[in-house]
Amino acid sequence: MTDLWPRLEALLAHVERPARYVNHEWGSVRKEDADFSFCMVYPDTYELGQANQAVRILANAVNATGHLRAERAFLPAADLIDRMREAGLPLFSIESCAPLREFDAIGITLPHELAATNVLETLDLAGIPLHAGERREEDPFVLGGGPCAFNPEPYAPFFDAVFIGEGEEALPEALLVLREQRARGASRAEALRALARLAGCYVPTLYRWRSEEEAQRAGSWVEPVEPGVPARIEKRLFAGFAESPGWEPCVVPYAEVVHDRLNVEVLRGCARGCRFCQAGMMYRPVRERSADNVVASVMQGLAETGYDEVSLTSLSSTDHSQIADILERLNRSCEGKGVRISVPSQRLDAFGVDMAKLVAGQKKGGLTFAPEAGTQRLRDVINKNVTEEDLFGAIDAAFAAGWRRCKLYFMIGLPTETDEDVKGIASLAQRAYDRARAAVPPEQRGSVRMGVSCALFVPKAQTPFQWDGQIPPEEAARRVGLLRRSVKYKAVDVHWHDPATSFVEAVMSRAGREAAAWVEAAWRRGARFDAWSELFREDAWREAAREVGIDPAAIAETSHDLARVMPWAHVSTGVSTQFLARERRRAEAGETTPDCTFGSCTGCGACPALGAENDLAEVRHG
């Protein structure tokens, strides 16, 4: 492969943070004994992508497979992108500084909806044709996956194949298929047909996009154009997660990155059933690693990386059936070493006095709790299953144990929300602040800080609220104004997300294949790094909508009958559409649904569809 380092090195003196482009980080792997090359790409800067666990997991899985080698790549920051284009320098991998277009295949993760234009920026900078149908035989196969793959249609024209679900086994399996096809001299089209036969693999060019009328009549927006192509794509599940080691080789970067610490995944999935939460639906069923596995993984990871902070990651780590034992053992093992153990986004109803002390360890940063809604009525609608007493009990415990900073997450624009619910956010935050002050000694009360972060509700595919529209940006601004006026305490800091970016996010979450043209038109008008507020180009998205003739507001804001077939109906998380519709009706009635890992089956369908069992419920009930 071509080594681009001499040309890249000449540019690095003229850009910010050149360390983000330098190879040979501690723990990086450059595998030589392989004949099929793959590059795992995160479509944003190194600081964000290097911390992404999916990049690490999938690169390791590929490198652990015979005949395959994996490298990593990240989208450079805008200053280097512009200089690379001026110099004619293509996008490169970190490990060997080789052009992406010289790899046999590249994989681009889809971490969130606002990364869409960065996917095109990545392909264009790499010199790879944007559309799958325009790629030549010698071009790398472009594979996609990640959270946004559960509605793949807005990205469909840009990918040769999209993987639905967990990739530890699926990705190496697919790469071996491509290697075999290439070795036997198969055409690109033949190789893609072979990929389409793999479970969890969606090859968009093998499906015709139907009209609205056809889709509603047929029950799906896509129709296979060749025999043997599955009409429905079922999610892949990594059945071996619980037994797999929590520690695996990771890169320690030269440059500071977000979440710059050791991350050990303790639990996968969440069955709490928050009705707005896509992750809670798409990662079912719940599986956990044992306490022995987690503790050994943490201690090995600390020894091999030199980190002094470890995060026990999952969607809800305090739901682990052995979390108290894990924290007690880690605190004993790390005593006197200055190591901080953190559990991100603690659940209110699992964070009592003992848990607060266990998480504290020897260092205390800020705590994050997510009540999501300001009133109990609305928390019941969204199935949050926590009360004010849960929040206040958690705050009492945490601030008595030594914390002084806390952030509360809420959403504005949730289905059925009223102005009273918005005012309830202010009331709850102020009372939480009062409880925090009361829990600390009088001389320390001046150090207590309470933050409120409000996101605009985005209706996500594959959730009970997928049929609900987003409130218009002007209405979102009105509700934010109401909230700000309702907060009377200066010590309570209120922050909110930009409604304009949340609007694009909602369109991308709910749209069909027609949105791909919108994304491309916005990118050609300069849209990129849309998740970065200072770089977001709202004008580019507006002008693009006029050019391609779509109505983004109709896509984002229209509420549908529960019988409507949505554009992602051909993709299955394992959770049935019937369950999602039933949950939406229960939301309207203000009825909550319990977590099946603490009780009986709620009938979501994931376990039978995916051939899994609710092992965690058995553990809890002995």
Side-chain angles (χ1 to χ4, degrees), residues 53 264-274 277 279-280 283 286-289 311-323 326-327 342-351 355 368-370 384 386 595 597-598 616 620:
Q53 283 185 288
V264 174
E265 189 180 11
V266 301
L267 180 74
R268 187 170 291 182
C270 176
R272 290 284 182 163
C274 296
C277 181
Y283 287 120
V286 178
R287 295 142 287 158
E288 66 176 26
R289 288 178 167 131
S311 180
L312 305 180
T313 65
S314 77
L315 293 175
S316 185
S317 296
T318 48
D319 279 348
H320 194 292
S321 65
Q322 298 174 292
I323 188 64
I326 291 170
L327 290 170
S342 65
V343 178
S345 192
Q346 293 82 6
R347 288 202 60 87
L348 303 178
D349 50 349
F351 199 79
M355 193 67 68
T368 300
F369 295 123
K384 188 64 183 176
V386 296
D595 181 344
T597 61
F598 288 88
L616 194 52
R620 287 204 170 103

Side-chain angles (χ1 to χ4, degrees), residues 454-532:
C454 287
L456 179 60
F457 164 70
V458 175
K460 295 285 187 172
Q462 313 283 2
T463 70
F465 289 158
Q466 65 183 3
W467 293 281
D468 288 273
Q470 185 182 65
I471 60 174
E474 57 272 16
E475 174 60 15
R478 186 192 71 80
R479 296 189 196 187
V480 167
L482 175 62
L483 171 61
R484 293 178 63 195
R485 293 191 299 273
S486 300
V487 174
K488 307 302 182 184
Y489 289 9
K490 291 184 178 179
V492 176
D493 297 320
V494 179
H495 302 275
W496 60 95
H497 292 194
D498 180 8
T501 57
S502 297
F503 173 76
V504 173
E505 192 179 349
V507 178
M508 293 299 297
S509 177
R510 305 184 86 211
R513 200 173 290 190
E514 75 282 358
W518 184 50
V519 172
E520 184 174 347
W523 171 75
R524 293 191 184 282
R525 282 169 168 73
R528 61 181 182 180
F529 295 102
D530 293 300
W532 299 61

Side-chain angles (χ1 to χ4, degrees), residues 134-275:
E134 297 172 355
R135 291 181 191 133
R136 301 152 299 198
E137 293 294 329
E138 65 272 20
D139 286 322
F141 292 96
V142 179
L143 314 176
C148 292
F150 285 93
N151 177 17
E153 295 310 323
Y155 316 88
F158 313 123
F159 286 94
D160 293 302
V162 179
F163 293 92
I164 311 300
E166 297 167 359
E168 285 97 330
E169 296 169 331
L171 179 58
E173 182 181 321
L175 295 177
L176 288 174
V177 167
L178 292 176
R179 173 183 175 272
E180 178 186 359
Q181 294 294 314
R182 184 154 282 180
R184 59 180 283 267
S187 68
R188 190 180 192 88
E190 289 172 319
L192 292 177
R193 280 194 286 271
L195 273 190
R197 291 193 288 269
L198 296 179
C201 185
Y202 176 51
V203 179
T205 53
L206 298 180
Y207 296 80
R208 180 180 71 87
W209 185 250
R210 288 171 166 146
S211 67
E212 171 84 31
E213 182 180 350
E214 276 186 290
Q216 300 309 313
R217 184 173 62 249
S220 174
W221 282 81
V222 300
E223 178 185 17
V225 297
E226 293 189 11
V229 177
R232 185 173 172 83
I233 314 299
E234 300 286 345
K235 176 182 80 174
R236 282 290 290 266
L237 189 74
F238 177 37
F241 172 80
E243 292 73 35
S244 63
W247 160 252
E248 54 181 307
C250 71
V251 170
V252 179
Y254 292 132
E256 184 178 355
V257 300
V258 300
H259 309 307
D260 196 7
R261 55 191 176 230
L262 175 67
N263 294 299
V264 174
E265 189 180 11
V266 301
L267 180 74
R268 187 170 291 182
C270 176
R272 290 284 182 163
C274 296
R275 290 167 177 146

Side-chain angles (χ1 to χ4, degrees), residues 19 21 124 249 252 322 480 509 543 564 589 591:
Y21 310 113
D124 183 70
V252 179
Q322 298 174 292
V480 167
S509 177
E543 293 164 6
R564 184 175 190 265
E591 298 174 357

